[in-house]
Amino acid sequence: MSRQRLHTLDDLLDVAEQIVTSGDPSGLTLRSLAAAAGASNGTIYHAFGSKDVLLARLWLRSWCRLRDLMAEAMGEGTETSGEDAVVAVALTPVEFVRRFPASARLFFVQRRDQLFSADVPPEVESELSAVQEKFVEVLIALARGVWDRGDRIAVEAIAVCVVDLPGGILRRCLLEDREADAATAARLEAAVRAILTVPLEPRPAKTTPADPSTPRSNP
């Protein structure tokens, strides 16, 4: 029985994602993707050009999916703000795991620097940088909503709440094949609210912007 030929970029990325998250990421090659997707080698090479670009595209899609859920959680145009907004964003990775389990496994279990090299085409690097910058803007907005300040100290405190805590908890769930259930979400919320009660250190003498480095998907 012949395999169904896949045509869209998302279809190809879905197949690649399954290959990467179901075993050793090194098992993914452009040829193995072509075989699994029922596509020609030429189609795959035309779409991605190299394995590094393919993996970068996978990472970028996962990151964009999580970013979009965070934007929804921030309640743009609603009254969600301050501490509640931080909690809502911190809980979005739980929803991310539920909606996009393979993408979440890729994002939380695999490290970016282990998936693909930094030597990707400028247009791909530009897209990665743009998503990264948008994420930093989210951290700054949340920090200002809680403490009316967006300096490094405040932003790092928010990063603990929305990056480090959910990343560590969900990475463990994924590695142990456990569901991120209501109890998991409740513990995460309690931890975030506790962190937000800790007073911040004074502002630095010279206010510095948030560090735009890539947020860790796993501690």
Side-chain angles (χ1 to χ4, degrees):
M1 180 177 179
S2 61
R3 293 174 178 155
Q4 179 182 3
R5 186 172 298 277
L6 304 177
H7 299 288
T8 71
L9 185 63
D10 261 352
D11 286 334
L12 296 173
L13 289 175
D14 284 343
V15 176
E17 195 172 63
Q18 290 298 326
I19 295 173
V20 170
T21 59
S22 62
D24 185 352
S26 64
L28 174 66
T29 65
L30 296 187
R31 288 184 178 274
S32 69
L33 174 57
S40 68
N41 290 331
T43 295
I44 303 301
Y45 277 90
H46 178 74
F48 303 108
S50 72
K51 179 179 176 178
D52 273 346
V53 171
L54 168 58
L55 288 168
R57 288 289 179 195
L58 275 178
W59 180 268
L60 182 61
R61 186 177 71 160
S62 296
W63 201 354
C64 286
R65 283 173 167 174
L66 179 56
R67 178 207 60 193
D68 290 346
L69 289 174
M70 287 182 169
E72 291 177 16
M74 288 184 72
E76 295 176 341
T78 73
E79 297 180 357
T80 303
S81 61
E83 181 180 307
D84 288 341
V86 178
V87 170
V89 172
L91 290 175
T92 56
V94 177
E95 182 65 18
F96 180 45
V97 171
R98 291 171 182 161
R99 288 199 203 179
F100 307 105
S103 290
R105 181 172 290 276
L106 177 82
F107 191 77
F108 289 118
V109 176
Q110 301 293 335
R111 290 181 60 90
R112 169 180 166 169
D113 58 2
Q114 292 174 332
L115 275 177
F116 58 93
S117 72
D119 186 21
V120 293
E123 64 271 16
V124 177
E125 186 57 48
S126 177
E127 290 182 58
L128 290 166
S129 296
V131 176
Q132 176 178 306
E133 289 168 6
K134 288 292 185 183
F135 183 78
V136 172
E137 289 175 8
V138 168
L139 299 182
I140 294 172
L142 290 172
R144 287 178 174 158
V146 176
W147 298 294
D148 194 26
R149 50 188 281 194
D151 57 83
R152 176 182 54 79
I153 292 172
V155 171
E156 285 183 351
I158 293 296
V160 171
C161 294
V162 306
V163 178
D164 296 342
L165 268 176
I169 291 171
L170 293 174
R171 182 172 186 269
R172 175 176 291 183
C173 288
L174 290 165
L175 287 173
E176 296 177 357
D177 289 323
R178 290 191 291 108
E179 180 183 358
D181 56 13
T184 300
R187 294 186 188 101
L188 176 56
E189 177 175 351
V192 169
R193 291 192 185 277
I195 288 171
L196 294 176
T197 66
V198 178
L200 294 182
E201 302 168 35
R203 294 174 186 267
K206 180 180 180 181
T207 302
T208 56
D211 180 4
S213 60
T214 303
R216 294 173 300 179
S217 60
N218 50 333

